[in-house]
Structures are given as structure tokens and as C-alpha cells.
Amino acid sequence: MKNTGLAILTAAVLAASLTACAGNGNQAVNMETSDLKKVTFVLDWTPNTNHTGLYVAKEKGYFKDAGLEVDIVQPPEDGAEVLVASGKAQFGMSFQDSMAPALVGENALPITAVAAVIQHNTSGIISRKGEGLASPKGMEGKNYATWDLPVEKAMVRDVVEADGGDFSKVQLVPSTVTDEVSALKSKTVDAIWIFYAWAGVKMEVEGLETDYFKFADLNPVFDYYTPVVIAGNEFLKEDPETARAFLSALSKGYEDAQKNPQEAAQILRKAAPELDEKLVMESQKYLADKYQDDVDVWGYIDPVRWNRFYEWLNENGLSSPEIPENTGFTNDFLPQ
């Protein structure tokens, strides 16, 4: 843009003799843009701090430096997985648990998880403080907002029964929750499954005292990967260099978000100004040491943890057909 502006100013001063220079300047800008390889990334939901590294990488020019022009789009109703599988997007955001049905059977989709956004599962059950739900057994007789998903209910059953509770006594209420804080304050429900980095931090920001337990703390099987970056299998096969270039640039974005969460939060809000400033800032601080946590390279997926969760699905009849070992993920495209 600077080149174009300079050319226009020069043309105004020197008249027709340098009009061609302005044209050449524009041509150079167009050539620069055309040299960038276009990549589409589809989100799983509206922008939030799970996505910050993506926006940082775009804002700071890491994608451009890697020869890429990245377009970030909202997901369709049927989710990011379908768009990525169809080749209409090269990358997207998903979750290991919700990926499972897409990996096997007649409706299998050609997608692969290529990076873990956060190293450990921070999701769990939140409730109003002091009402007996600090542990899973306390869910007996309480209203739990369920999505009515088989894997979800099986996980809740697992932790409740392991704590000596009776899952049949948990009152399953169809979830219509759009604002977790309001739902708990109004006592519409007693317990909600949340991702703490956003909804849990929001409880803190809005001053609601809560009890909370994480699934990963209760059963190591539930320390699966959520969320993950996915890519289309055909794209990975045909253009592995672009995949590596994208993930290298993306890793720089998440590394920056770790080192400077305040700056990263400002970049996210610039991209999504509708987000609450304090919530974004506090959520970003919460996630800063969780993106990479205990691994050397951002995005690394531990095969043991990945396989362990799918083995649990198989053993509990939650996948038909069963998911073979090492299905649905790779570390091959991460920076070495």
C-alpha cells in the first residue's frame, strides 16, 4: 500500500510521464499478493482464546512470511470437519472426542488432527459453590444440562460411579444454556459441562463463586486433546510443504500468545471487538502456560494419550466400528 500511495503522489507531481510508474507499482503489489498461497481455516465456534495464536500469526505477518494468505472463516452448521473434508478449507478446529464418529464407519471423513492447541483437557463440571457438587457424587439429584451425546453421558457416568454415586439419580436436563453464568445464577440448572478457560474464567470475572472438578483429574483417560487443528487428508498428501509452512507460522503465533498474553489478547479483540475485554484478558492469562505446557514443541500429540481415549471408547461400545490404534492424528507436519 505504501508503494501505491507513493506512485499516486509522484504521478500527481510529475504528470503523465510517471503514470506508468504508478501502474508498475500496482502491478508489483498485485504480484506480491498473487505469490501468496491461499489457505482457508474454519473455526469451530465464534472467535475465542482457543484461537488466539491463529490471529496473532496473521496480525504479525507470520503467515505472509511463510508465503501464505490465510482466510479465517466461521463454521457451517454441520461443523468444521465437513468443510475440511470436502477440501473447501485446508485447516479447521475440532476436538478429539467429537472427531471420533468421523474417523471410522460409513460416514468417515478424510480428516486428520495435525496439532494440539492446548496440551491438557481443562473441561469439567461447574456448579454454584457450596451446594455439594465439588465432586461427581454430588450430581445425584441435581439438574445437569446435558447435550444428550453418548460420549458425554458415558464420561459423566464414569466419574459419578467412580466417586460412589448413582448416575441414574442425576437429573438430565436438555441443555439450552447460552450463558453459563446466568444459568447458574438463575438456578435454571445446577451443573454444566464447561471449558474452564472461557466459561470458568467468565464466572470469576463476573464474581460468581463456584465449585468445579476436571475430568482429567479424575481419570487420566479423559486427558484427551481438546481442541485440535485438523486438516484434510488429500490436502496433506498433495501439498505437505504448505501444511508444514502453515503449522510453522501458527506455532509462532501460539508461542507469542504464551510469552505475551496481554498483547495476544489485544490482537484477538482487534479481530473480534465484540468480545468482552476483561474476559479475553483473563482467559488469555489462564491459557498462557497451557498451550504448550509440558512438551518441547507446541502442537505435539502424545500417541499414548490419544490412543488411550479411543481405546476407552472402544471398550465402552461408543464407537462402531472400533477405532484402530493411531487413527486420526499425526505429528509429521509440526516444526522439527
Side-chain angles (χ1 to χ4, degrees):
M1 291 181 67
K2 290 182 179 178
N3 291 340
T4 303
L6 178 59
I8 292 171
L9 177 61
T10 304
V13 175
L14 299 182
S17 63
L18 289 185
T19 301
C21 292
N24 289 339
N26 287 329
Q27 184 179 8
V29 171
N30 291 335
M31 286 177 65
E32 182 183 357
T33 302
S34 66
D35 284 345
L36 299 177
K37 189 150 196 175
K38 292 187 177 181
V39 169
T40 298
F41 189 105
V42 56
L43 302 179
D44 57 298
W45 197 245
T46 53
N48 57 65
T49 46
N50 280 346
H51 312 133
T52 307
L54 182 67
Y55 288 101
V56 171
K58 185 167 184 175
E59 173 71 16
K60 290 196 167 186
Y62 296 150
F63 289 133
K64 186 176 180 181
D65 291 345
L68 305 174
E69 180 184 346
V70 176
D71 187 23
I72 304 170
V73 302
Q74 296 292 315
E77 287 187 7
D78 48 6
E81 294 85 358
V82 172
L83 208 60
V84 172
S86 70
K88 294 179 181 178
Q90 287 71 43
F91 295 95
M93 194 77 80
S94 186
F95 307 84
Q96 186 183 353
D97 53 343
S98 59
M99 274 181 70
L103 296 177
V104 292
E106 293 181 359
N107 298 318
L109 297 175
I111 57 173
T112 297
V114 292
V117 176
I118 298 169
Q119 269 302 305
H120 295 283
N121 184 4
T122 65
S123 73
I125 303 295
I126 200 163
S127 59
R128 293 176 294 275
K129 190 171 183 62
E131 296 190 3
L133 284 85
S135 67
K137 187 179 187 302
M139 294 180 72
E140 289 183 345
K142 303 294 186 180
N143 291 331
Y144 164 64
T146 179
W147 299 303
D148 200 30
L149 300 175
V151 173
E152 168 218 3
K153 291 188 290 186
M155 287 178 61
V156 174
R157 176 190 294 274
D158 184 284
V159 297
V160 167
E161 293 181 350
D163 195 36
D166 183 347
F167 178 72
S168 68
K169 294 181 180 179
V170 177
Q171 303 300 310
L172 302 179
V173 178
S175 179
T176 57
V177 174
T178 56
D179 183 334
E180 294 87 355
V181 176
S182 297
L184 288 184
K185 281 185 175 181
S186 66
K187 299 190 176 182
T188 304
V189 294
D190 302 312
I192 309 171
W193 184 328
I194 66 162
F195 290 88
Y196 199 88
W198 194 255
V201 170
K202 186 178 181 182
M203 303 282 178
E204 296 177 10
V205 168
E206 298 197 20
L208 179 63
E209 294 188 344
T210 60
D211 284 320
Y212 182 71
F213 59 82
K214 286 197 301 184
F215 288 104
D217 289 343
L218 300 171
N219 187 340
V221 166
F222 300 145
D223 192 17
Y224 55 85
Y225 289 96
T226 175
V228 293
V229 175
I230 59 171
N233 293 351
E234 194 66 23
F235 163 69
L236 293 175
K237 180 181 178 181
E238 293 183 353
D239 200 351
E241 291 310 310
T242 295
R244 291 189 178 93
F246 175 86
L247 287 173
S248 178
L250 184 61
S251 69
K252 292 177 183 177
Y254 278 102
E255 287 164 7
D256 281 3
Q258 295 172 64
K259 294 173 185 175
N260 195 337
Q262 184 172 355
E263 178 192 50
Q266 291 169 347
I267 290 173
L268 176 60
R269 284 205 72 243
K270 180 180 177 181
E274 69 278 8
L275 297 177
D276 180 80
E277 183 176 8
K278 188 172 183 181
L279 172 57
V280 170
M281 190 64 67
E282 294 305 314
S283 176
Q284 204 63 64
K285 291 177 183 176
Y286 174 85
L287 280 177
D289 63 354
K290 294 177 175 58
Y291 289 124
Q292 189 167 331
D293 205 345
D294 50 6
V295 296
D296 295 332
V297 177
W298 173 85
Y300 179 75
I301 297 173
D302 179 1
V304 172
R305 283 172 50 206
W306 183 276
N307 288 322
R308 186 168 57 194
F309 179 64
Y310 283 167
E311 287 169 6
W312 182 83
L313 294 186
N314 293 341
E315 291 168 0
N316 286 272
L318 294 166
S319 181
S320 180
E322 293 188 354
I323 304 173
E325 188 176 46
N326 296 324
T327 295
F329 81 97
T330 180
N331 290 306
D332 290 350
F333 300 92
L334 294 174
Q336 300 301 313

